[in-house]
Amino acid sequence: MAAAPPGEQHGRMDRRTLLSREDVASDLDGTGFRHDGERLTAEFRTADFASAVRLLDTVAVEADGMNHHPDVSLGWGRVEFDLQSHDVGGVTSRDVALALRIAEIAGEQGAAAH
């Protein structure tokens, strides 16, 4: 049997259901993302500014495809992501799914969670 999608274990199938730190802890383990009570946040370090832009560009395409868009901060060798489902004012399975995809992309591009 396949595992439930992130944030949808234990019957949490509604994409508008707010998820607590405890709800998402195992999903986020090893991703660099943390649940601060209202959002998921992570910072990824890259070799230089150009690689930070490439990471952000790849994430932007994925986020558009998921119709879920993070707030970002871009600097030399770093990209910070801030995920929140603004329509419900907190973290939902949409944020967890995007966080997992961002962490995967970062790993593929050699970016390290900070």
Side-chain angles (χ1 to χ4, degrees), residues 3-68:
E8 293 184 3
Q9 304 89 341
H10 310 294
R12 294 186 312 261
M13 304 273 305
D14 181 0
R15 293 170 34 118
R16 297 177 52 84
T17 299
L18 292 176
L19 302 174
S20 70
R21 283 184 189 98
E22 294 77 22
D23 291 333
V24 301
S26 64
D27 291 326
L28 298 179
D29 191 36
T31 66
F33 277 90
R34 61 195 171 283
H35 189 309
D36 79 354
E38 295 181 6
R39 63 190 40 85
L40 302 179
T41 60
E43 179 179 320
F44 293 92
R45 298 287 174 100
T46 64
D48 52 28
F49 185 72
S51 58
V53 170
R54 281 191 298 275
L55 173 59
L56 179 54
D57 185 51
T58 304
V59 168
V61 171
E62 289 288 323
D64 267 345
M66 297 171 78
N67 195 29
H68 194 50

Side-chain angles (χ1 to χ4, degrees), residues 61-98:
V61 171
E62 289 288 323
D64 267 345
M66 297 171 78
N67 195 29
H68 194 50
H69 307 96
D71 293 326
V72 295
S73 175
L74 174 67
W76 190 94
R78 67 169 184 78
V79 184
E80 295 176 44
F81 296 96
D82 185 1
L83 310 177
Q84 181 185 56
S85 294
H86 298 286
D87 58 336
V88 295
V91 175
T92 69
S93 62
R94 293 174 289 174
D95 303 297
V96 175
L98 183 53

